Amino acid sequence: MERRDFLKRAGLATAATLLTSGSTLAFDEAKDIRPGNIPRWYGFNLLAKFSGNQPNRKYDEEDFALMQELGFNFARLPMSYWNWSKPEVDKWMDINEKVFLDVDQAVNFGHQYNVHINMNLHRIPGYCINGRGLEPIDLFYGPEKDKALEAAIYHWRYITRRYKGIPNRRLSFDLLNEPPVTPNENYARVVRALVEAIREEDPKRLIFADGINVGRDPVPEIADLGLVQSCRGYDPMQVSHYRASWVPGYTPDSWPKPSWPFTDKNGKTWNKEVLRKEKIDPWRPLMKKGVNVHVGEWGCYKYTPHEICLSWMEDFLSLWREMGWGWSLWNLKGDFGIFNSGRKDVNYENFRGNQLDRKMLELLQKYRA
């Protein structure tokens, strides 16, 4: 089937504009989603605005159509503020609104294909897990941290006003990506300030906050705010990020070829029960307080042997299903994804012009419910 015919059959009138910035769309507010009772969302991260190096890169309509066809309902949009602003402190309050037309379109695609949109600031003024030192002021440390926080608040206020009135069932916010290893109080201070600003603009907006320690650990200090907390599914990194050159400390000789279960260089054996003990159980006290948990990112890089990758993925997926947690794989298309991942040990299937990893897709579909 041609791509154009596929999209037509999926039911999208591309030129339709369902979102008018700042407008309130009619919906039954009483039936909207509230913190503490979110659906079990599962899907993918979409990376069009991820780096900030390609501000004009648009979200691909086909991605939303594919998600709907294959039975997924969640798209996390990790975005860098560099797409619509500049890293210089004196430019932080300048926002190029035209860039947000692409984000508007993603929100429209989500509505038309029944995919929930979760907007995340992967790079926020003052912080990014990748290239943190490129920010002129640090959001968490230093005498000028309040200046970075002021800019972060400014950007979230703009985003909140722009999308005010869109139901939570369609749209949520994820404050910032993967906060560092820092005292929880430092992070909680930032979260509280951002949440207060968002709720001044849109009191009922559904908000996610990533766990501390790069998303790994729960944050009880913000449990009273009525947020979803977002965790990660990347451990052990020697399995999920084998041969990933961007991982700090990685060298080709430093990590052995992964297996599953996996014994690391310190003699620790990782298996499903270790994942349960270390990556699931610490979140249970938070859940007892009524806090929902969602896995904002996870996945396995293309160089991990495919059968090892799938075995590791299934253990995580089965644990998350036990807990009722949703998840979003890092890629739909790309090195971690079900399409066009470039693995050498996969017999790909041509699907709508993309190279589909059918085994990985069927594994994800198995654990949707």
Side-chain angles (χ1 to χ4, degrees), residues 209-221:
D210 283 12
I212 203 73
N213 186 19
V214 198
R216 285 184 169 93
D217 300 329
V219 192
E221 289 83 356

Side-chain angles (χ1 to χ4, degrees), residues 233-284:
Y234 288 131
D235 288 302
M237 294 282 284
Q238 295 94 329
V239 173
S240 69
H241 283 65
Y242 178 60
R243 292 180 61 187
S245 60
W246 65 89
V247 175
Y250 171 79
T251 64
D253 299 326
S254 62
W255 288 6
K257 188 174 182 179
S259 59
W260 192 251
F262 176 75
T263 301
D264 64 26
K265 64 181 181 181
N266 297 317
K268 177 179 179 178
T269 298
W270 289 81
N271 55 32
K272 182 176 180 179
E273 290 311 307
V274 172
L275 293 179
R276 184 195 306 276
K277 179 180 178 180
E278 297 195 10
K279 302 302 167 185
I280 302 296
D281 289 348
W283 295 83
R284 292 182 189 274

Side-chain angles (χ1 to χ4, degrees), residues 84-85 91-98 100 154-155 158:
W84 56 80
S85 189
K91 300 292 186 182
W92 267 352
M93 304 304 190
D94 298 338
I95 291 180
N96 180 358
E97 297 192 25
K98 291 183 179 179
F100 277 92
Y154 183 84
H155 284 252
Y158 173 82

Side-chain angles (χ1 to χ4, degrees), residues 65-78:
L66 287 168
M67 281 190 279
Q68 181 187 56
E69 180 178 11
L70 298 174
F72 299 95
N73 60 12
F74 185 89
R76 182 173 181 261
L77 310 183

Side-chain angles (χ1 to χ4, degrees), residues 188-336:
R189 168 183 171 272
V190 171
V191 168
R192 288 184 180 278
L194 296 177
V195 169
E196 180 181 6
I198 289 170
R199 288 181 173 160
E200 284 178 359
E201 304 290 345
D202 191 355
K204 297 181 180 179
R205 174 58 60 206
L206 182 65
I207 303 171
F208 288 50
D210 283 12
I212 203 73
N213 186 19
V214 198
R216 285 184 169 93
D217 300 329
V219 192
E221 289 83 356
I222 59 173
D224 62 309
L225 292 180
L227 310 177
V228 179
Q229 290 202 26
S230 180
C231 66
R232 294 295 180 267
Y234 288 131
D235 288 302
M237 294 282 284
Q238 295 94 329
V239 173
S240 69
H241 283 65
Y242 178 60
R243 292 180 61 187
S245 60
W246 65 89
V247 175
Y250 171 79
T251 64
D253 299 326
S254 62
W255 288 6
K257 188 174 182 179
S259 59
W260 192 251
F262 176 75
T263 301
D264 64 26
K265 64 181 181 181
N266 297 317
K268 177 179 179 178
T269 298
W270 289 81
N271 55 32
K272 182 176 180 179
E273 290 311 307
V274 172
L275 293 179
R276 184 195 306 276
K277 179 180 178 180
E278 297 195 10
K279 302 302 167 185
I280 302 296
D281 289 348
W283 295 83
R284 292 182 189 274
L286 203 65
M287 295 180 68
K288 289 180 179 178
K289 297 180 179 180
V291 177
N292 288 139
V293 178
H294 186 272
V295 185
E297 291 182 22
W298 74 292
C300 199
Y301 191 43
K302 64 181 179 181
Y303 291 114
T304 298
H306 195 234
E307 292 306 315
I308 301 302
C309 164
L310 296 182
S311 181
W312 170 85
M313 289 177 73
E314 183 156 24
D315 279 350
F316 254 139
L317 285 165
S318 64
L319 290 169
W320 295 334
R321 183 166 67 180
E322 288 177 16
M323 300 299 290
W325 298 356
W327 40 263
S328 49
L329 200 69
W330 176 242
N331 291 108
L332 174 67
K333 299 172 181 174
D335 294 340
F336 286 75

